[in-house]
Amino acid sequence: MKKVAFLFFAGLIWCITLTAQRINVATYNMRNDNNKEDSLHGNGWGQRFPVIASLIRFHDFDIFGTQECLYHQLVNIKDSLPGFDFTGIGRDDGQRAGEHSAIFYKTDRFKLLRHGDFWLSTITDRPNKGWDAVLPRICSWGEFKDKKTGFVFFFFNLHMDHIGVVARAESARLVLAKVKEIAGNKPALLTGDFNVDQHSESYAVIHNSGVMQDAYEATAVRYALNGTFNSFRADSKTDSRIDHIFLTKQFKVSRYGILTDTYRSPRPENETGAAANFPKEVKLSKYIAREPSDHFPVMAVLEYGK
């Protein structure tokens, strides 16, 4: 009996330890709040961000990178996610102006030890456009400590240029150099909207570097029935993955998913009718299927050692 009890409690401790060594990591381009264009097509930020917050809570993101958000959008998300905080500055002035590449994290799970930001350019310490980029681009990073295990890791998050081919390739090389400089040999994650898919040169610079690899390729279980860009079209399909999660060898990927969650909004000509072959109490209405953003979030469940 004592032996059985011992094995039971040993197994329980093992399960608790295993849970404490697991992180749900994600990257999510939430689409900037342009105040007019998206709203005219029914995709305004005001109707989208509550859905985004619910998605994050349901899928239980522990730490995640965001792209395109303006400061007020980050505040909206933070207010909708009690227990989360974020780090990151605006790319236009190094404070709050312009889009951010902010990192959100659970404050009861992680302690932010250090943080910083650098521009994707030959001039990394102040706002500017690098190489052939048409916009200033920024990478924000943080050094985090898991309060449960003491595990320390670095998290880098970026948004590469959507036009500059040279800028994307050079940004990939710059980020790898910064990971080595800032994180050294410690565990590190890199998330973001890279604006290139898995067949591009700049993707290969990182994935084939020997420093970091794509979580999509490293996972044990993969759920990826679509690419990561949808252009707010629920009926679209692509194989291109332009939003990525890269990681160093200290992490093991147990699950990877591109989350194609949708929601519904009323049509002006809303109609209601009985559902065929269902009880008469069941009613179906004609609504519009919508995406919470023009990108799908990417999530990976990671395991790590102490």
Side-chain angles (χ1 to χ4, degrees):
M1 186 64 182
K2 290 183 178 180
K3 184 177 180 180
V4 172
F6 172 79
L7 291 174
F8 172 79
F9 285 110
L12 181 62
I13 292 172
W14 180 84
C15 289
I16 293 173
T17 302
L18 182 63
T19 302
Q21 291 178 293
R22 182 172 291 169
I23 308 178
N24 295 339
V25 174
T27 183
Y28 202 171
N29 181 323
M30 297 182 182
R31 174 69 170 177
N32 64 79
D33 179 8
N34 53 47
N35 295 319
K36 184 178 180 181
E37 180 184 347
D38 290 342
S39 295
L40 289 175
H41 296 91
N43 296 307
W45 174 248
Q47 76 180 51
R48 293 193 295 109
F49 85 78
V51 180
I52 289 174
S54 295
L55 183 156
I56 291 167
R57 286 194 299 269
F58 179 79
H59 291 287
D60 197 23
F61 294 179
D62 292 315
I63 185 169
F64 59 97
T66 66
Q67 301 86 42
E68 288 203 17
C69 285
L70 304 174
Y71 184 75
H72 73 275
Q73 292 179 273
L74 298 174
V75 173
N76 291 155
I77 293 297
K78 180 181 176 181
D79 290 346
S80 302
L81 295 175
F84 277 84
D85 202 354
F86 68 88
T87 182
I89 58 177
R91 70 187 188 188
D92 289 357
D93 67 351
Q95 298 181 50
R96 293 185 177 180
E99 295 180 6
H100 295 58
S101 292
I103 303 165
F104 277 81
Y105 60 97
K106 288 181 177 177
T107 55
D108 65 344
R109 176 79 187 271
F110 304 109
K111 180 179 180 180
L112 180 61
L113 302 177
R114 291 190 295 150
H115 64 92
D117 314 86
F118 58 88
W119 277 262
L120 303 181
S121 172
T122 55
I123 303 170
T124 61
D125 62 349
R126 58 185 182 273
N128 70 105
K129 293 182 286 187
W131 303 285
D132 59 345
V134 299
L135 294 168
R137 299 292 182 173
I138 196 169
C139 179
S140 295
W141 63 270
E143 181 183 15
F144 295 91
K145 180 178 181 179
D146 190 322
K147 295 179 180 180
K148 296 179 181 179
T149 65
F151 181 73
V152 175
F153 65 98
F154 287 80
F155 195 113
F156 294 79
N157 180 57
L158 57 76
H159 188 182
M160 285 190 183
D161 200 67
H162 63 303
I163 298 294
V165 176
V166 175
R168 291 193 293 259
E170 292 299 328
S171 294
R173 296 183 181 95
L174 172 65
V175 168
L176 279 178
K178 285 291 187 179
V179 169
K180 294 176 184 177
E181 173 191 332
I182 296 169
N185 294 321
K186 291 184 178 179
L189 302 168
L190 170 61
T191 66
D193 174 359
F194 291 75
N195 268 314
V196 292
D197 71 7
Q198 61 272 26
H199 306 296
S200 76
E201 174 191 357
S202 51
Y203 169 90
V205 167
I206 300 173
H207 181 59
N208 298 333
S209 65
V211 177
M212 310 188 97
Q213 64 175 328
D214 185 357
Y216 175 95
E217 299 293 347
T219 190
V221 176
R222 182 182 300 132
Y223 177 67
L225 305 180
N226 206 330
T228 64
F229 183 69
N230 61 63
S231 193
F232 283 127
R233 292 177 53 189
D235 60 350
S236 64
K237 176 72 169 69
T238 180
D239 294 323
S240 293
R241 293 180 285 106
I242 64 174
D243 303 85
H244 305 289
I245 299 174
F246 294 100
L247 59 156
T248 55
K249 61 184 179 181
Q250 293 93 335
F251 294 98
K252 177 183 177 181
V253 189
S254 60
R255 288 189 294 149
Y256 171 101
I258 297 172
L259 308 180
T260 55
D261 300 39
T262 63
Y263 69 106
R264 304 294 183 269
S265 66
R267 291 181 181 273
E269 70 283 6
N270 188 31
E271 299 177 3
T272 303
N277 299 321
F278 280 91
K280 63 180 181 179
E281 291 83 4
V282 176
K283 304 293 183 181
L284 290 180
S285 299
K286 293 183 179 180
Y287 273 54
I288 301 173
R290 295 193 182 277
E291 309 291 359
S293 176
D294 60 349
H295 288 242
F296 294 121
V298 179
M299 175 179 166
V301 180
L302 308 181
E303 297 174 2
Y304 60 88
K306 289 185 177 180

